[in-house]
Amino acid sequence: MNGPIPLTQLPQPHQFRAGDVFVLFGELFGRGYANGLVAEARQAGMTIIGVTVGRREADGSLRPLTGEELAAAEANLGGRIINVPLMAGFDMDAPAGTPTPTELLGALSIKTWTEDKLDWDHIARCREVGVNRFKASVAQVMATLDGLIPDGAKVFFAHTMAGGIPKAKVFLAIANRVYKGRGDRHQSSQELLDSDLGKLILQNFDEVSANTFGHLIDGSAAIRERMERTGGQVCYSAYGYHGTRVLIGDEYRWQTYSNYTQGYAKMRLERIAQDAWARGIRATVYNCPEIRTNSSDIFVGVELPLFSLLRALRREAPGAWTESQWDACRELLTDPASIETVMQTIADFYASDVMQAYGNFAAWPMPNSQGLADLMIGASDTITGLHKDRCALITDLLSTRVIEATGPLMFNASAAPSGPVLWLDHDIIAQQLRVLNG
């Protein structure tokens, strides 16, 4: 792709109904984008079915949910969960009697990790074990799921699996420097990716965030064939991140968070959707705006584009509701008038020479830099310091609004998708919020 392909028109609603089936391919945890899709499926009266990643025991073994855990998860989802562990990635897998990749990483030192080497033949065997485990579990899930879906139904598979960071102490220390470090604490993201540690992490990102989408599409082939033969249809969605257009100055411009090391896996996710689309399968990756989630908080500064949504709302959805959102944001600040300071900080951030250099779509995901870290983390810290409560931020409120909008956008667009990769930019987000809130 030479540039982002935005969704430019609000999709037609009310295309799913009672009797249709929504399958959440990924467990529902806390705050995040998946909540918006689940809310739409509930409102449409669809049958909701979910899966679980399972749980790890202290010895690293993977197990299904207990009865109590399953009941809580089903109550949270509002539907049945097929209790077969679908833990993605291979960081905790290995041939019997051999160390897992995570155990190998335990031997790495914070002083020597840039030079420390891994046994790639062994890593390949671990990866094979993990992939085969996951594919076997997918087959088991699909065998159960097939009996729960009636002929002729519309089936919506929503892929929500992402992540893949191994639980290694050495990486946690490095991540703090790569994603949060300024000055002497800054760490080059490229140095991480060039190391054996970084190469392993990129492989695991691929398996969790991207290849699971391919396993879902392939594993559900029999269900897809039956639905199409009996008058139904099957569609697939996945969450991507590849930057988004936000209102900068007087125009919507593509911008991105850097360094988003998971970006390589997200591009692989897009390619999987493109390959499926070429085979006549309705699979679409929606590149959504960044929000604050439980998992994104490691990336300090990732939330900065959210503030631009306030300006997009005034352009796309002028009126009382939009002004109420501005007022709600003001009330979260120690001095309500400092909302102007916040917006000026964001304007200066995007106008800086440093950020201008990061507007190259073709080069994404670009490595971080000392200048970017100092600018981005500094802006984030400055704005956070203007709040009354660091646990009640403007970006929390705006994240909720983005989730509200992306839910119906993805849900409705997936019934008749226009392509394999679409961007949900701030303009279409604001337009959807206008529809939802009058």
Side-chain angles (χ1 to χ4, degrees):
M1 287 174 289
N2 296 320
I5 304 167
L7 181 67
T8 57
Q9 293 185 325
L10 295 175
Q12 184 70 30
H14 311 305
Q15 298 185 71
F16 294 101
R17 55 183 61 87
D20 294 334
V21 180
F22 176 85
V23 182
L24 187 70
F25 194 73
E27 197 163 342
L28 192 65
F29 290 114
R31 52 180 179 158
Y33 271 121
N35 298 84
L37 272 182
V38 172
E40 292 300 311
R42 287 174 184 157
Q43 186 172 342
M46 298 176 76
T47 299
I48 298 176
I49 303 172
V51 301
T52 178
V53 298
R55 301 292 183 268
R56 292 281 184 191
E57 296 286 16
D59 63 359
S61 60
L62 185 61
R63 63 165 176 81
L65 301 180
T66 64
E68 184 177 350
E69 290 167 340
L70 181 62
E74 290 185 332
N76 184 42
L77 177 66
R80 174 175 173 175
I81 287 177
I82 299 173
N83 195 14
V84 175
L86 279 175
M87 183 77 72
F90 62 94
D91 50 301
M92 294 289 288
D93 290 285
T98 65
T100 67
T102 297
E103 289 171 331
L104 292 179
L105 294 181
L108 270 57
S109 163
I110 192 64
K111 294 181 179 180
T112 63
W113 66 270
T114 55
E115 291 83 32
D116 289 334
K117 301 301 179 184
L118 297 173
D119 180 346
W120 288 108
D121 288 338
H122 179 66
I123 295 296
R125 291 190 291 272
C126 293
R127 187 171 187 173
E128 183 179 13
V129 170
V131 170
N132 288 339
R133 170 186 56 76
F134 187 84
K135 290 170 69 175
S137 295
V138 169
Q140 190 176 349
V141 166
M142 293 301 160
T144 301
L145 185 61
D146 194 26
L148 302 176
I149 300 175
D151 286 349
K154 290 183 178 179
V155 184
F156 186 155
F157 285 97
H159 175 277
T160 62
M161 294 185 178
I165 296 176
K167 290 182 171 60
K169 290 182 180 180
V170 66
F171 178 72
L172 295 178
I174 297 164
N176 277 329
R177 291 177 173 270
V178 170
Y179 303 123
K180 299 181 180 181
R182 284 189 288 172
D184 292 341
R185 289 188 54 77
H186 171 72
Q187 179 77 54
S188 165
S189 61
Q190 193 59 52
E191 189 174 23
L192 169 63
L193 298 187
D194 288 340
S195 69
D196 274 19
L197 169 63
K199 291 171 184 175
L200 172 62
I201 290 170
L202 289 183
Q203 286 190 19
N204 209 43
F205 284 161
D206 276 349
E207 289 301 339
V208 177
S209 296
N211 294 346
T212 50
F213 194 39
H215 299 322
L216 164 62
I217 292 170
D218 293 342
S220 56
I223 294 174
R224 189 170 61 248
E225 187 277 332
R226 179 166 66 87
M227 291 307 105
E228 293 170 351
R229 177 167 41 83
T230 58
Q233 69 178 50
V234 174
C235 62
Y236 303 84
S237 72
Y239 287 98
Y241 176 73
H242 194 149
T244 46
R245 291 187 311 132
V246 305
L247 193 55
I248 299 173
D250 293 326
E251 64 176 333
Y252 288 101
R253 285 167 39 199
W254 181 85
Q255 57 74 51
T256 182
Y257 169 82
S258 289
N259 171 266
Y260 190 70
T261 42
Q262 287 90 327
Y264 297 98
K266 293 300 186 183
M267 286 192 289
R268 182 172 180 82
L269 179 68
E270 293 171 356
R271 291 193 295 272
I272 290 170
Q274 290 169 320
D275 290 344
W277 192 269
R279 292 184 281 138
I281 300 169
R282 302 181 189 204
T284 303
V285 172
Y286 296 90
N287 285 319
C288 297
E290 265 298 0
I291 58 172
R292 289 193 67 232
T293 68
N294 293 339
S295 59
S296 73
D297 280 350
I298 187 176
F299 307 112
V300 177
V302 73
E303 78 286 354
L304 293 177
L306 275 164
F307 294 99
S308 299
L309 181 62
L310 287 170
R311 296 184 61 236
L313 285 171
R314 279 185 168 169
R315 173 175 288 194
E316 310 293 337
W321 182 81
T322 286
E323 294 310 312
S324 74
Q325 301 308 294
W326 276 78
D327 289 342
C329 291
R330 288 189 184 95
E331 289 304 310
L332 295 174
L333 301 173
T334 303
D335 176 7
S338 61
I339 190 70
E340 303 305 328
T341 301
V342 170
M343 302 310 289
Q344 188 60 53
T345 299
I346 297 301
D348 293 344
F349 173 72
Y350 283 118
S352 68
D353 291 340
V354 171
M355 279 305 294
Q356 296 293 317
Y358 278 87
N360 185 349
F361 181 87
W364 190 84
M366 295 174 67
N368 65 2
S369 68
Q370 178 87 53
L372 175 66
D374 291 346
L375 175 70
M376 180 176 61
I377 298 171
S380 179
D381 287 351
T382 295
I383 293 173
T384 300
L386 297 174
H387 286 73
K388 295 176 182 176
D389 183 351
R390 285 177 174 264
C391 295
L393 303 177
I394 288 175
T395 47
D396 293 325
L397 186 154
L398 295 178
S399 294
T400 300
R401 298 294 170 257
V402 173
I403 290 171
E404 289 174 3
T406 54
L409 286 171
M410 291 178 61
F411 187 78
N412 296 328
S414 293
S418 59
V421 186
L422 293 171
W423 270 255
L424 304 184
D425 297 323
H426 275 192
D427 53 354
I428 200 73
I429 295 291
Q431 292 165 25
Q432 181 66 61
L433 288 170
R434 180 189 65 210
V435 171
L436 293 174
N437 298 285

